[in-house]
Amino acid sequence: MAQLLTMVVQRLALGLLTLFVVSLIIFLGVELLPGDLAEAILGQAATPDTVAAFRKELKLDLPPHERYFDWLFGILQGDLGRSLANKREISELMGARLGNTLFLAALAAVIAVPLAVFLGILAALYRNSIFDRAINIVTLTSISFPEFFIAYILILFLAVNAGWFPSIANVSGELPFWERVYRCILPALTLTLVCVAHMMRMTRAAIINLLASPYIEMANLKGLKRARIIMRHALPNALAPIINVVVINLAYLVVGVVIVEVVFVYPGMGQLLVDSVSKRDIPVVQSSSLFFAVAYILLNLFADLMAIVTNPRLLHPR
Amino acid sequence: MVGDLIKLIVKAPWSARFGMLVILVYAFVALFAPVLTPFGESEIVGSEFEPWGEGGFILGTDNLGRDMLTRILYGARNTIGIAFVTTCLAFLVGGIAGFMAAALGGWTDQLLGRFVDVLMAIPQLIFALLILTIAGTSVPVLIIVIALLDSTRVFRLARAVAMNIVVMDYVEAARLRGEGLWWVMRREVLPNAMPPLVAEFGLRFCFVFLFISGLSFLGLGIQPPTADWGSMVRDNATLITFGDITPLLPAGAIALLTVGVNFVVDFFLHETSGLRDDH
Amino acid sequence: MTTDSSGNGPGNGKDNDILLTMRGLRIEGQADEEWQEIVHGIDLDLRRGEVLGLIGESGAGKSTIGLAAMGYARPGCRISGGEILFNGIDLMAASEEEKRQLRGVRISYVAQSAAASFNPAHKLIDQFSETPVQHGVKPRSEAESDAKVLFRKLQLPYPDTIGNRYPHQVSGGQLQRAMTAMAMACHPDLIVFDEPTTALDVTTQIEVLAAIKDVVREFNTAAIYITHDLAVVAQMADRIMVLRWGDLIEEGTARDLLANPQDPYTRDLLAVRTFAKDHNGDEKAKTPLLAVEGVTASYGNSVRVLHDVSVSIHHSRTVAVVGESGSGKSTLARAITGLLPPEAGRVLYEGEPLPNALEGRDKEQLRRIQMIYQMPDTALNPRQRIREIIGRPLSFYFGLTGAEKENRIKELLTKIELDPDDFIDRFPGELSGGQKQRICIARALAAEPDLIICDEVTSALDQLVAEEILKLLQSLQDDVGVSYLFITHDLATVRAIADEIIVMLQGKVVEQGPKDEVLHPPHHEYTELLLSSVPEMDPDWLDGVLEKRRAANQ
């Protein structure tokens, strides 16, 4: 047990360290800018006075490490600073959008995860059958599609031609739950399609790898029923790889949301990030990047922890 | 060598042959775009959003009145060209670093490994957006940024592949003989690392290609007036709400190429790795 | 095991007594999308309580036949023809469900690698009880008490509690016995043992063999015992079938077959390990060619694998280092070559100290010590032609080029008894295992070394091929006077080729000296154990040794 605990603690510490380094990169990336940030943003035409005022506003006159810790402690207390573009509090800008993005990602995950795991296991069990080959071609095709291609195809057929769903996912604060789901269906479906293909292929590979192990042959030669072989001998060992696959894809979902939000004009974090990037609104870009990075890191951390915890060799040391 | 190639093609399933055909056609279009197109790349030749077939514009015109077909053909050249250069650069950097890490081990390996771990802990799209905000969007910046980010994945693979080869007895035999690092890498490791790296090149190319298209679609990749499939989708997206499929054409062009490459890679992996499902 | 070991025992109602019959069994395997026959019409009869040994080298089809007795074909194989009758049930016609009900209950299987064949996620006792409980043979509680009885019979330590452990918490030899117990769980009529001791060290092997023999005898279970080792099968089987490339070569009772082999192939198999060298080399000459003095080495900082080891090797002599897995014998080779620089002690070459680390040695020092590996598959770069593999040391050390180099390559190929014109442009993938090992030898010879370190060079090869390799190595020594440091776990190999023997245990040398001294009593205790654990062709050997050990313990 001690070994397990050590590994968990080590992994957590590593996660924390990564978060720290990432925050450093996000903050200091700006420093790498050739020349002066203020000049770069304001352009050649700016007078020295405006540049100086702007520098003060960005606190560029302070040394970098002071600014970094100011920024970091601010964030830890919920103070993300102000937007350059419209001078509003960033936390205010992000508030509702954060919820919207998480809602969309969660909705897609609820559809995608069970579907992908189920289809993946099925394809592995009936490998090399027509079903498996068809699935292979379909998933290979669908991971080859850019998200916006899938999104526009769905819009064309389900929104424009059939008129079943809205082509713009316009959600706002006080929508009832199901109405919200309804408006989010197309973006969620787009995310699902991209994600299921990846997740399914990985699940299939993990299961096939497992089914080739000698202990599965042994279970066969013990005359066990197929269902029992799968449930008792394959699944407990498949758990770790499947969890890993699912979480990696969830992390992908959170990030993949960016393009989908833009297509469907969905008021989420991705949209905010893209808008801010085109406006070069650096504080907002930093804050939203940090949000995505943290979500991604935490999910990967979770996957690794699950892999450690489900490993029988670590659970039951010698 | 050529004989092997022909044998491989004969053996290929229809999906892989389809993929090869797609790649050939795209390469041809990319190379001969100026010859094949009726108009100039960013030449405004008609009014906005002319429908298909009207005024000699086979696929109509775009939001500024440029010929759609012309821009799609040029798009092949620009989008594929940039993605290809980026992938090559990513392989050069990631491959060399990965091989070095595997061969030298110790501190070099640790240092490079941890560095890549941190880079990979940040989602690629977010990282790219962050850097592009700071450095601005120009084609060289785009290529360098994406190549560097993507080289982390190449590094991981190259290192893993090389690690498996470096522990082989024949590499030890070469070291015991007194061969230098360069010779060992070039003659013992590289030839054996080629098949997985070639397959990875295909996959990475697809990824980079989709990634750049995605950025362009967001308006943060290849900038106008250069014809590029991602931004063409964005520029003409409004048509879709009228049931006009024109914006799907450049999107479909992207999809078709990645599908083709993926089919070929899938077949290639199946052939070379011996990663057969049944054994 | 029945006491009667003759083929047609008197007084047995013949037909009722037959448990398993195979007639004209044909099995095909899939290679490159094509089906090729790998077993060509085998006939086999097994009576109740009889132990049948299937013996052959790799590719003989023995495992495939063993699994066919359970009506099972591995993925990529199919039973394409013939008849399999088990207990009167036609397994070829039986449905999957019928076969499933037989497996585990009436026929069970013991695999070569117990470590891989136990599910890592479940306790031993759960995996043991699974078969009887799932087949409805007995309730869980009864199965568990059965398990304890069987664990005790198989001489597992802590038989009452060992079942609560997970597979990775138990040693290899114990796991193999636990797997035998699992196979016995429903008291089946037939157990198929598929090389159950091949992966074990000799001193562990003898314990497992004894345990298996005891339980099989006690429960009067019929068994098919598959192995490549004639000496092992001699201990276990009443009757032996010799197989080669999917054909039956010879069949007979164990005693008859060993005493009176009819087929030349069987005779070759029996004759294996009778090869022995003459003494040669300048014994105790002035300075040894290579002297290892008080070497201590470890991996990382934690595990010390060599403790104060001293060894000397003289010109044209063969020094064999014997030991079981984990004895540090391969680490000794790494310390000598400088791949693992020793922490303490030094390596002297003709009296001159060699730099500890590989990087510190010059070309000439490197040239004079060459190495041959256990796995010829991984020792040859699959993407280089033989010409390049053998040619590289020639150009690297001697700067040979063009025709001169070509001639030398051909000369070397002739020396290792391969046709130069046929082989020079091949890739390693186009060679057999033995041929690959010959190429490795040629590559080592190309450097014209004084010493060749041979690390388990015959253990991955079939016995007859291994024998040829040993003969080749010996004739090369007679020819060019090279010395060998011969690392092996196989005492038969040592007997064949060594001038001097070094016995290692847990990183220390426990005994060393000229072959005759070490092999003849008085021995060190461990040497005695090692020597007495090597199976001999005599069918009474195992019982004899166990008898002796029991007597010694009392």
Side-chain angles (χ1 to χ4, degrees):
Chain A
M1 238 28 199
Q3 197 192 352
L4 181 72
L5 213 64
T6 330
M7 287 193 67
V8 169
V9 170
Q10 271 176 0
R11 186 61 190 85
L12 281 174
L14 186 66
L16 216 62
L17 183 71
T18 318
L19 282 176
F20 175 72
V21 175
V22 166
S23 73
L24 211 61
I25 292 178
I26 288 178
F27 185 81
L28 291 182
V30 180
E31 303 287 322
L32 297 176
L33 188 64
D36 190 275
L37 177 64
E39 272 171 34
I41 292 173
L42 294 174
Q44 297 287 316
T47 63
D49 282 353
T50 24
V51 171
F54 195 62
R55 280 178 61 88
K56 199 155 187 87
E57 188 191 328
L58 290 179
K59 297 185 188 151
L60 284 180
D61 42 348
L62 298 176
H65 62 272
E66 254 177 63
R67 276 183 291 134
Y68 172 69
F69 285 111
D70 269 3
W71 180 71
L72 193 64
F73 288 124
I75 286 172
L76 291 178
Q77 290 160 10
D79 172 19
L80 300 175
R82 281 175 184 280
S83 153
L84 290 180
N86 50 22
K87 312 293 179 217
R88 286 171 61 193
E89 286 277 344
I90 295 176
S91 47
E92 193 184 313
L93 278 174
M94 283 174 55
R97 289 168 175 267
L98 200 88
N100 288 345
T101 292
L102 291 179
F103 179 79
L104 179 57
L107 183 61
V110 167
I111 309 174
V113 172
L115 191 67
V117 171
F118 177 72
L119 287 177
I121 293 178
L122 223 56
L125 291 185
Y126 298 97
R127 62 177 183 277
N128 295 333
S129 65
I130 300 286
F131 168 72
D132 180 36
R133 282 166 206 246
I135 283 269
N136 181 40
I137 298 283
V138 170
T139 53
L140 204 55
T141 309
S142 109
I143 56 175
S144 309
F145 285 179
E147 286 99 336
F148 51 82
F149 186 51
I150 297 179
Y152 282 124
I153 289 180
L154 290 180
I155 290 181
L156 182 68
F157 288 108
L158 300 183
V160 177
N161 288 354
W164 293 340
F165 302 105
S167 66
I168 288 182
N170 186 11
V171 296
S172 58
E174 287 83 36
L175 279 178
F177 178 75
W178 288 110
E179 177 65 20
R180 192 183 255 260
V181 170
Y182 171 71
R183 293 195 184 183
C184 287
I185 280 291
L186 285 189
L189 215 54
T190 309
L191 282 172
T192 303
L193 281 176
V194 179
C195 193
V196 160
H198 274 286
M199 220 188 302
M200 229 202 75
R201 289 178 75 84
M202 290 160 85
T203 309
R204 176 182 178 274
I207 300 281
I208 283 180
N209 188 12
L210 197 93
L211 289 181
S213 34
Y215 59 78
I216 298 293
E217 175 170 81
M218 193 66 200
N220 262 312
L221 292 175
K222 278 161 86 177
L224 301 179
K225 292 197 178 107
R226 192 170 171 83
R228 185 166 172 95
I229 295 177
I230 303 292
M231 297 308 291
R232 174 111 181 128
H233 288 276
L235 276 189
N237 295 294
L239 220 53
I242 290 181
I243 290 176
N244 196 28
V245 167
V246 168
V247 177
I248 288 174
N249 281 282
L250 287 185
Y252 167 81
L253 258 186
V254 173
V255 180
V257 112
V258 174
I259 287 180
V260 175
E261 282 185 6
V262 171
V263 174
F264 291 94
V265 204
Y266 183 84
M269 290 293 297
Q271 183 78 255
L272 176 70
L273 176 62
V274 172
D275 284 350
S276 315
V277 170
S278 34
K279 286 184 219 150
R280 303 191 82 183
D281 190 344
I282 286 171
V284 181
V285 173
Q286 282 177 328
S287 300
S288 21
S289 302
L290 194 63
F291 158 77
F292 283 111
V294 168
Y296 189 81
I297 291 169
L298 289 182
L299 281 168
N300 279 314
L301 177 66
F302 178 71
D304 285 359
L305 287 180
M306 289 309 285
I308 295 173
V309 172
T310 52
N311 184 340
R313 282 166 199 274
L314 292 172
L315 269 184
H316 317 284
R318 276 166 186 272
Chain B
M1 211 45 212
V2 177
D4 287 352
L5 210 66
I6 291 171
K7 224 185 276 167
L8 211 64
I9 293 171
V10 171
K11 239 165 108 184
W14 66 266
S15 57
R17 287 193 208 175
F18 167 76
M20 292 175 201
L21 184 72
V22 167
I23 294 171
L24 279 180
V25 169
Y26 273 64
F28 177 79
V29 171
L31 283 175
F32 296 101
V35 188
L36 296 170
T37 50
F39 305 101
E41 184 180 351
S42 41
E43 187 183 348
I44 295 178
V45 290
S47 53
E48 294 157 23
F49 294 138
E50 294 221 38
W52 291 19
E54 214 130 302
F57 310 122
I58 298 169
L59 296 177
T61 58
D62 70 357
N63 59 327
L64 296 178
R66 296 170 292 195
D67 180 48
M68 201 68 196
L69 178 67
T70 305
R71 292 194 51 87
I72 287 187
L73 294 182
Y74 267 103
R77 176 169 257 217
N78 299 327
T79 316
I80 297 174
I82 291 175
F84 187 75
V85 171
T86 308
T87 316
C88 288
L89 189 62
F91 264 77
L92 204 66
V93 175
I96 290 178
F99 275 20
M100 293 280 282
L104 297 174
W107 278 108
T108 323
D109 186 26
Q110 283 293 321
L111 223 65
L112 282 170
R114 292 296 84 77
F115 178 68
V116 163
D117 280 351
V118 171
L119 281 191
M120 286 180 77
I122 310 177
Q124 229 165 344
L125 180 65
I126 305 303
F127 210 148
L129 289 180
L130 182 72
I131 300 180
L132 291 175
T133 318
I134 299 161
T137 44
S138 66
V139 169
V141 170
L142 201 65
I143 289 179
I144 291 172
V145 168
I146 298 177
L148 284 182
L149 290 180
D150 216 48
S151 66
T152 54
R153 327 249 144 178
V154 181
F155 169 84
R156 282 260 175 108
L157 181 88
R159 178 180 174 276
V161 169
M163 278 294 209
N164 285 335
I165 299 171
V166 165
V167 296
M168 288 287 173
D169 290 336
Y170 59 81
V171 175
E172 189 179 301
R175 287 180 55 207
L176 283 179
R177 198 188 307 142
E179 303 283 3
L181 180 67
W182 176 240
W183 197 90
V184 171
M185 283 288 121
R186 202 167 45 89
R187 304 303 292 271
E188 306 282 355
V189 177
L190 190 62
N192 290 291
M194 275 324 270
L197 285 181
V198 167
E200 183 69 5
F201 188 89
L203 295 180
R204 290 325 312 163
F205 171 79
C206 284
F207 184 85
V208 167
F209 183 63
L210 287 176
F211 193 73
I212 293 181
S213 304
L215 281 178
S216 302
F217 173 77
L218 295 175
L220 305 166
I222 301 167
Q223 297 298 313
T226 309
D228 156 74
W229 291 338
S231 36
M232 285 168 70
V233 177
R234 170 195 173 86
D235 293 343
N236 301 289
T238 43
L239 287 178
I240 205 89
T241 47
F242 305 109
D244 185 337
I245 63 159
T246 309
L248 288 184
L249 291 179
I254 297 168
L256 189 60
L257 179 60
T258 41
V259 169
V261 175
N262 267 321
F263 279 172
V264 174
V265 169
D266 191 51
F267 163 68
F268 182 79
L269 273 178
H270 194 269
E271 274 306 303
T272 55
S273 64
L275 268 182
R276 307 258 163 111
D277 292 345
D278 40 14
H279 62 114
Chain C
M1 240 187 252
T2 51
T3 42
D4 172 23
S5 59
S6 66
N8 291 311
N12 292 328
K14 260 192 205 165
D15 286 348
N16 295 339
D17 214 33
I18 296 284
L19 179 64
L20 175 76
T21 314
M22 291 183 179
R23 286 287 170 270
L25 176 73
R26 293 176 182 278
I27 300 174
E28 294 179 347
Q30 200 172 19
D32 283 332
E33 322 271 315
E34 275 173 41
W35 291 98
Q36 283 171 351
E37 196 169 88
I38 48 177
V39 170
H40 319 285
I42 292 285
D43 295 341
L44 180 155
D45 288 292
L46 181 67
R47 295 175 311 136
R48 289 182 186 280
E50 187 184 27
V51 178
L52 173 68
L54 294 186
I55 181 155
E57 299 182 300
S58 52
K62 48 197 194 305
S63 290
T64 322
I65 296 172
L67 287 169
M70 309 182 72
Y72 182 83
R74 288 218 162 104
C77 287
R78 64 177 184 201
I79 302 172
S80 53
E83 213 180 289
I84 307 168
L85 283 177
F86 175 79
N87 235 346
I89 306 165
D90 182 358
L91 290 187
M92 294 291 284
S95 68
E96 265 311 307
E97 180 58 22
E98 287 170 280
K99 284 189 274 187
R100 186 185 70 71
Q101 285 172 2
L102 283 179
R103 290 177 193 151
V105 185
R106 309 277 25 117
I107 322 174
S108 58
Y109 180 72
V110 175
Q112 172 171 358
S113 167
S117 297
F118 270 112
N119 191 325
H122 303 299
K123 291 177 183 169
L124 295 179
I125 191 75
D126 293 341
Q127 302 195 45
F128 177 96
S129 323
E130 190 173 24
T131 329
V133 173
Q134 286 299 311
H135 285 287
V137 176
K138 47 188 107 165
R140 169 93 193 191
S141 56
E142 207 179 310
E144 284 190 16
S145 51
D146 260 25
K148 288 168 190 167
V149 173
L150 275 167
F151 288 163
R152 184 164 287 123
K153 282 199 199 308
L154 285 158
Q155 290 156 31
L156 282 165
Y158 315 109
D160 292 335
T161 54
I162 195 168
N164 293 326
R165 299 201 199 160
Y166 284 85
H168 66 272
Q169 296 170 323
V170 174
S171 79
Q174 292 168 3
L175 217 47
Q176 203 56 266
R177 278 178 273 170
M179 175 159 288
T180 306
M182 186 162 86
M184 303 283 305
C186 296
H187 302 299
D189 300 321
L190 170 64
I191 303 183
V192 178
F193 290 96
D194 193 353
E195 306 245 14
T197 63
T198 305
L200 305 175
D201 280 327
V202 274
T203 53
T204 319
Q205 164 170 282
I206 187 170
E207 292 167 13
V208 175
L209 286 180
I212 291 178
K213 190 166 181 171
D214 272 356
V215 286
V216 168
R217 191 181 280 167
E218 180 169 342
F219 292 94
N220 195 28
T221 313
I224 293 179
Y225 196 99
I226 298 163
T227 176
H228 66 280
D229 190 337
L230 205 47
V232 166
V233 85
Q235 310 312 314
M236 308 304 286
D238 303 312
R239 207 148 50 83
I240 295 176
M241 287 171 74
V242 181
L243 300 168
R244 189 183 201 188
W245 299 327
D247 282 315
L248 177 67
I249 296 294
E250 188 170 358
E251 182 180 2
T253 64
R255 279 171 203 285
D256 275 357
L257 193 107
L258 293 172
N260 259 324
Q262 299 301 313
D263 193 89
Y265 179 67
T266 317
R267 268 183 239 143
D268 284 347
L269 279 182
L270 269 169
V272 141
R273 298 167 174 188
T274 48
F275 157 73
K277 71 180 291 186
D278 305 328
H279 271 275
N280 59 345
D282 38 0
E283 224 168 316
K284 303 291 168 211
K286 7 35 206 203
T287 32
L289 176 67
L290 185 94
V292 175
E293 289 182 354
V295 160
T296 296
S298 60
Y299 290 110
N301 302 323
S302 43
V303 207
R304 177 154 298 180
V305 274
L306 285 181
H307 302 265
D308 192 20
V309 171
S310 298
V311 170
S312 55
I313 305 163
H314 289 264
H315 279 283
S316 303
R317 299 273 286 175
T318 301
V319 176
V321 181
V322 232
E324 297 185 295
S325 44
S327 63
K329 55 191 193 302
S330 290
T331 312
L332 178 61
R334 295 179 69 80
I336 293 174
T337 53
L339 282 168
L340 182 71
E343 287 166 2
R346 52 187 192 157
V347 180
L348 300 174
Y349 195 89
E350 290 184 331
E352 296 292 314
L354 279 178
N356 267 359
L358 175 67
E359 289 75 20
R361 300 186 184 175
D362 63 32
K363 228 184 207 184
E364 188 58 16
Q365 287 167 330
L366 292 172
R367 181 187 68 76
R368 301 174 97 184
I369 304 178
Q370 290 292 313
M371 185 137 173
I372 309 174
Y373 295 87
Q374 174 173 8
M375 298 290 199
D377 283 326
T378 61
L380 298 175
N381 188 334
R383 307 218 169 231
Q384 290 178 356
R385 291 181 196 278
I386 304 307
R387 176 194 299 277
E388 197 176 345
I389 291 171
I390 302 180
R392 179 62 192 173
L394 295 176
S395 46
F396 184 77
Y397 292 126
F398 307 111
L400 293 190
T401 48
E404 211 180 345
K405 179 163 139 190
E406 169 115 4
N407 288 337
R408 181 70 183 133
I409 297 173
K410 290 190 171 170
E411 200 180 315
L412 284 162
L413 281 171
T414 316
K415 251 193 188 144
I416 55 163
E417 295 154 21
L418 293 180
D419 176 17
D421 298 312
D422 186 8
F423 282 88
I424 193 163
D425 280 319
R426 291 208 204 179
F427 283 105
E430 297 162 317
L431 305 181
S432 71
Q435 288 167 342
K436 282 181 210 166
Q437 197 59 293
R438 284 169 191 262
I439 298 297
C440 292
I441 294 172
R443 176 174 62 187
L445 279 183
E448 297 175 22
D450 302 326
L451 171 68
I452 299 181
I453 300 175
C454 304
D455 189 0
E456 300 271 11
V457 289
T458 54
S459 10
L461 303 174
D462 278 325
Q463 293 177 35
L464 293 179
V465 180
E467 181 96 345
E468 292 303 310
I469 294 289
L470 289 184
K471 283 181 186 157
L472 174 67
L473 285 170
Q474 189 51 53
S475 78
L476 290 172
Q477 185 171 60
D478 298 340
D479 187 15
V480 298
V482 61
S483 305
Y484 295 126
L485 180 68
F486 210 94
I487 293 164
T488 180
H489 69 279
D490 182 17
L491 279 146
T493 309
V494 174
R495 284 207 175 93
I497 201 164
D499 296 309
E500 280 164 54
I501 300 178
I502 294 168
V503 184
M504 287 188 72
L505 174 66
Q506 292 164 0
K508 290 182 184 140
V509 174
V510 293
E511 189 166 5
Q512 61 181 316
K515 173 160 73 176
D516 292 338
E517 270 172 40
V518 175
L519 290 184
H520 292 108
H523 308 292
H524 180 274
E525 194 182 336
Y526 177 70
T527 316
E528 170 66 35
L529 177 68
L530 208 54
L531 284 173
S532 67
S533 298
V534 180
E536 287 166 20
M537 294 292 181
D538 172 13
D540 297 322
W541 168 84
L542 181 62
D543 294 332
V545 174
L546 294 175
E547 191 61 38
K548 243 187 253 165
R549 287 191 185 173
R550 230 168 280 139
N553 282 341
Q554 272 161 11

